[in-house]
Amino acid sequence: MNKIVLGILLALPAPGVRLHAAPNNFDDLLRRIEASRDRDETWLALTYADQLAAFPELTASQRAEARRHAGEIRVLVGDFAGAAKNFASVLEVKPEDPDVLLMLAEAKRDRPDEALVYAERAALAAGGSVATRTKADLLAGELKIDLGD
């Protein structure tokens, strides 16, 4: 068997595996992101999240949600710089979202002076969420230690 035929056969799905059409709407891609994350298919989930964020017809809120998903997944794979970019773009739409502020602070942890600003903003924005405020305060304390305060 020549190499081209072998390559084609290896690229085909296994018997019984159903091919799916490319997702073409917001809700379908969201479901695929969540399902891929549930199955620990992190790279596939990231691909779907990036596809979702690139849809031209999304509202600003939907695009922010897609970028938040992409940021969360990038943290899982260790792409903290990419995650920080995703979270920063979410903050353009939702500037006082305490969870996104906290995730951005964590993603920027290698730059404690920048991360501290976001951790402190997260603590202030947390409002009645004791858990988020506690996490933000704890992170801010750790960052101050890192800075020598």
Side-chain angles (χ1 to χ4, degrees):
M1 185 175 299
N2 73 33
K3 290 181 182 179
I4 295 174
V5 172
L6 181 60
I8 292 170
L9 289 174
L10 291 174
L12 292 174
V17 173
R18 188 173 157 213
L19 293 175
H20 298 281
N24 61 2
N25 67 55
F26 183 81
D27 293 329
D28 186 30
L29 271 170
L30 272 183
R31 281 191 297 276
R32 288 180 187 222
I33 292 167
E34 292 166 8
S36 297
R37 288 182 74 174
D38 289 345
R39 291 188 309 267
D40 290 327
E41 296 172 340
T42 309
W43 289 106
L44 183 59
L46 182 55
T47 300
Y48 288 142
D50 285 340
Q51 285 177 359
L52 183 59
F55 272 17
E57 62 273 356
L58 294 182
T59 66
S61 181
Q62 288 173 320
R63 191 167 317 284
E65 184 177 354
R67 290 189 174 143
R68 178 184 174 142
H69 280 289
E72 290 172 352
I73 297 165
R74 281 191 163 81
V75 166
L76 293 174
V77 299
D79 178 10
F80 299 107
K85 287 179 185 175
N86 285 131
F87 295 141
S89 69
V90 173
L91 291 177
E92 292 173 11
V93 177
K94 301 176 180 184
E96 296 306 313
D97 183 315
D99 295 319
V100 176
L101 287 164
L102 184 57
M103 288 186 285
L104 180 55
E106 286 284 0
K108 289 184 168 272
R109 192 148 188 178
D110 63 332
R111 294 183 303 258
D113 53 330
E114 291 179 38
L116 180 58
V117 172
Y118 292 107
E120 289 175 338
R121 278 180 59 193
L124 291 172
S129 175
V130 175
T132 301
R133 188 172 55 253
T134 301
K135 289 176 192 174
D137 285 338
L138 180 61
L139 178 58
E142 291 171 358
L143 292 166
K144 287 177 182 177
I145 291 169
D146 292 347
L147 290 168
D149 287 347

